[in-house]
Amino acid sequence: MPDLGAVGRGLGLLADHWTLLILQRAFFGVRRYAGWRDTLQISDATLSARLRSLVDAGLLRTRPYREGGRERREYVLTERGMDVWKLLIVIWDWEKTWVPRATPLPEIVHRTCGEPARVLPRCADCGEPVGPQGTEVIRLPGTPGLERLARQHPRRTRGRLPDDPLSALPGAMEIIGDRWGATVLGAALTGIRTFGEFGEALAISPEVLSDRLRRFVELGVLCRTGSGSYRLTDKGRASFPIHVALVEWSHRWLGGDGAPADLTIRHLSCGAVLRLRLDCDRCGRPIDRRSVSPGVPVQGAGGAGTMAP
Ligand SMILES: [Zn+2]
Ligand SMILES: [Zn+2]
């Protein structure tokens, strides 16, 4: 994807169900092929392809180990891969809060206070709470649109979910697991309201656009207003940190490779380019990668891990 900006590249890499689930498991300590295969109900072909692209993109690296006299490879997160933790936590928090399911997701336990926590997004620079109001999205004119993003992976069919609730993020995948979906919702968060405005901003085909808008209304992240435009619901607005985390990670890790800063989110009250700080709603202290763990043991990870493998 040589012509895309940083966020386009980030979306191309991370807006994929399997990729996020593989990374999530890696945070909980899964390092070996069988660990992912046995817990995610993923085909060998898909797992091998995703591991390869995560290694190519520098999020995982391989490390040899010996088993039964044979040399094998395991996969460990690099610094670039570990920095995805913030995206995974805000996805988990949103999914837990807004997407009902038969077997609930485990709690996010903040180890600093020992309590199950909800995540409060704040501006890392000034410390104020942040949401779509109070921020501004700047698109660099002339950068290639996200329409250049070919769909690399087919969308996962909506079927039976795995037994382990952590092995599926169905709500989040509906909103970012497909690049057009992420783009349409991202545009809605910037204040775009009508079919015509979406079409103009995104260079998206009318068929794809109406499909995604209809799906978002079904999911309850957008609602239609009397005047035929679309408005974000509370559930839709609450997905804001997911988009910010994706943009922030892309700038940090993909912006230096000659990719233009295609899209920037600025916090209006302090003027800084928005970086998220996540605070615990129980104790008010910041959450970091090492201070969160799932409230249950994670399959395939040999016990309850933290987000710090
Ligand atoms: Zn700020
Ligand atoms: Zn806490």
Side-chain angles (χ1 to χ4, degrees), residues 2-19:
D3 294 317
L4 285 166
V7 177
R9 290 185 194 184
L11 208 53
L13 187 64
L14 293 177
D16 171 66
H17 196 192
W18 287 123
T19 298

Side-chain angles (χ1 to χ4, degrees), residues 85 89 108-115 117 278 280 285-293 306-308:
W85 77 275
I89 285 287
I108 300 171
V109 175
H110 187 215
R111 293 154 68 96
T112 309
C113 64
E115 297 287 330
L278 305 176
C280 167
R285 282 175 284 182
I287 289 173
D288 67 39
R289 183 163 58 79
R290 289 180 182 78
S291 70
V292 282
S293 64
T306 64
M307 294 287 278

Side-chain angles (χ1 to χ4, degrees), residues 18-52:
W18 287 123
T19 298
L20 290 173
L21 290 176
I22 288 167
L23 288 171
Q24 184 192 55
R25 292 279 144 164
F27 276 105
F28 296 143
V30 172
R31 294 202 182 92
R32 297 184 180 175
Y33 188 90
W36 284 292
R37 188 193 53 208
D38 298 345
T39 54
L40 293 179
Q41 299 177 15
I42 184 172
S43 75
D44 283 314
T46 307
L47 178 56
S48 305
R50 294 301 195 282
L51 288 173
R52 199 162 43 239

